[in-house]
Amino acid sequence: MKKFLLPCLLISLAYADDTLDITKVGNVITTATEYSNTLNKMTLGVFGIMTHGEIEAGKGTMSLEGGFLGLNGKISDDVMTYTLKTEHENTFIPHLNYNYKISWYDSKKINQALSTYNNVVTDINGNTYNALDIPTMQYRIRGLDADIGVGWNIIDLGPHDYFSFGADVGISTPWIESTQGSSSSNSGSSNVLATLYGMGDTKIWSYKVGPQMKVSKSLTSTLSLYGSAIYAYQYASVKNSSIGLKSFVDGTFTESELGLRYQPLEKKIPITRWFSLSPQLYFTTGVRYSKWALHDVAINLFDQNIPLPKSDMKVSSSTTYIGLGYSF
């Protein structure tokens, strides 16, 4: 008997109210469908960071410049990078997209050749020294770099055919381990500075914000070319307690990237009438160049009157990477 109750109830309602319009019922169903689709998109947007991702491994060169570290030129060595990112993902709002990138980098020990400052230096007792020698040092750079961006698709022709412009915010936390090299000058000033520079790490914590641009173009049904660029203002703290260094400085962060994406797998699996999954598997390869520049970093050797000049500090990396990505 229960299976006849629902039809009877609908018939009773129809006869009880002769104003019942079947089009209203259709409108209700359409509204429910639209609501379900919107809810589906919002849910995917909230969990998008979990349903889209790419893991990259890269190798390249990391360079260091900075007079306060005893450098009178650029020194470089190999670096490894490991990255988790989403290059470009649309949201449930038309044309609005997001991206993120979290990278860990670790360089080998960078050897610095002997350098000399020829200006006259005065110590706390008023003694003067000509040709203050900076000893041979070794540096190792490690740290974390993280960015998150929001963009607007000015051109939006498909998932791999777009031109987006937006904003990027992030943090960088490199630190520089310093140790005295196997060879250095035997001068008294050099030995003193060797002790100072060889103690502890220089730690940097920077915040950055600026515009970003992303572009992609399909080459075939499975292959696409993509690129990106960031130019950001950054504010950083630079600390090394062993040499009395504590500076708050500003500077710039720039990054450019060019890569290829190969996507051999893409399927659409319907789950319900209003919900489906589209699993994707893809591979990437590319090159990325990043540069952190901090202006006028000053040091104070235990508050002694040793007037080493302020110096710009620059850390840059150029890497080639391969990646494996997924999407649902």
Side-chain angles (χ1 to χ4, degrees), residues 105-163:
Y105 49 91
D106 190 347
S107 78
K108 292 185 177 180
K109 288 187 176 181
I110 304 175
N111 293 305
Q112 173 234 342
L114 185 67
S115 61
T116 301
Y117 286 91
N118 292 318
N119 56 313
V120 176
V121 178
T122 305
D123 70 9
I124 192 171
N125 297 316
N127 299 316
T128 59
Y129 300 94
N130 290 316
L132 175 64
D133 295 326
I134 305 298
T136 302
M137 302 294 294
Q138 289 183 333
Y139 302 104
R140 182 183 181 187
I141 309 172
R142 293 188 294 174
L144 184 73
D145 181 54
D147 291 271
I148 184 169
V150 177
W152 187 264
N153 292 327
I154 300 174
I155 299 176
D156 193 357
L157 302 179
H160 309 301
D161 293 278
Y162 57 81
F163 176 79

Side-chain angles (χ1 to χ4, degrees), residues 20 26 79 97 108 170 208 213 219:
L20 181 64
V79 66
N97 63 81
K108 292 185 177 180
K208 52 189 174 180
M213 178 272 293
L219 303 178

